[in-house]
Amino acid sequence: QVQVVESGGGSVQTGGSLRLSCRISGYTSCGYDLNWYRQVEGKKRDFVAGIDSTGRASYEDSALGRFTISQDNAKTTVWLQMNRLKPEDTAMYFCRTIVVRSSASCAFGVGSGQRGRGTQVTVSS
């Protein structure tokens, strides 16, 4: 069973920083990408940053230069360091896995994934 759990959200003032964590468990011998998304209630979910199975990072334009995505060696924890936060960064932040490489030892197919429940980030002006 795959579990994806986000943490680290909170309330900060404009210009502040937060470090979000996403803990992943349950993948054995699977290659997967990990993406961070954010969503404001009533609006669509937006991609923020991602790290693929090779370790390559990608960012949405507004996150470039302010946010940094990283992972531990085992890829069981992925962090999103968010600096110079703005009120428009206020949202629920989710991480989601996408299996991109399966094997005989991997119990999950390519394209499958799991999303966590999210962690709230609130930035006040």
Side-chain angles (χ1 to χ4, degrees), residues 4-49:
V4 177
V5 181
E6 304 93 338
S7 63
S11 297
V12 297
Q13 292 187 328
T14 298
S17 299
L18 284 172
R19 191 190 197 202
L20 306 184
S21 297
C22 179
R23 296 188 179 275
I24 306 109
S25 62
Y27 285 120
T28 302
S29 301
C30 306
Y32 56 90
D33 296 351
L34 189 292
N35 293 327
W36 281 99
Y37 297 89
R38 62 188 178 191
Q39 188 170 22
V40 176
E41 189 172 352
K43 297 188 177 181
K44 68 178 182 67
R45 185 179 64 191
D46 291 323
F47 171 80
V48 178

Side-chain angles (χ1 to χ4, degrees), residues 109-125:
V110 172
S112 64
Q114 184 71 33
R115 195 194 83 169
R117 293 185 176 183
T119 186
Q120 177 68 36
V121 171
T122 302
V123 185
S124 58
S125 57

Side-chain angles (χ1 to χ4, degrees), residues 1-4 24-34 74-76 96-101 105-109 111-115:
Q1 182 181 358
V2 174
Q3 287 190 320
V4 177
I24 306 109
S25 62
Y27 285 120
T28 302
S29 301
C30 306
Y32 56 90
D33 296 351
L34 189 292
K75 206 177 179 180
T76 55
R96 189 179 189 280
T97 60
I98 304 171
V99 175
V100 296
R101 188 176 65 253
S105 303
C106 173
F108 306 96
S112 64
Q114 184 71 33
R115 195 194 83 169

Side-chain angles (χ1 to χ4, degrees), residues 50-67:
I51 190 162
D52 70 15
S53 61
T54 69
R56 182 176 59 188
S58 59
Y59 298 92
E60 185 267 336
D61 286 349
S62 71
L64 274 171
R66 298 189 301 129
F67 296 0

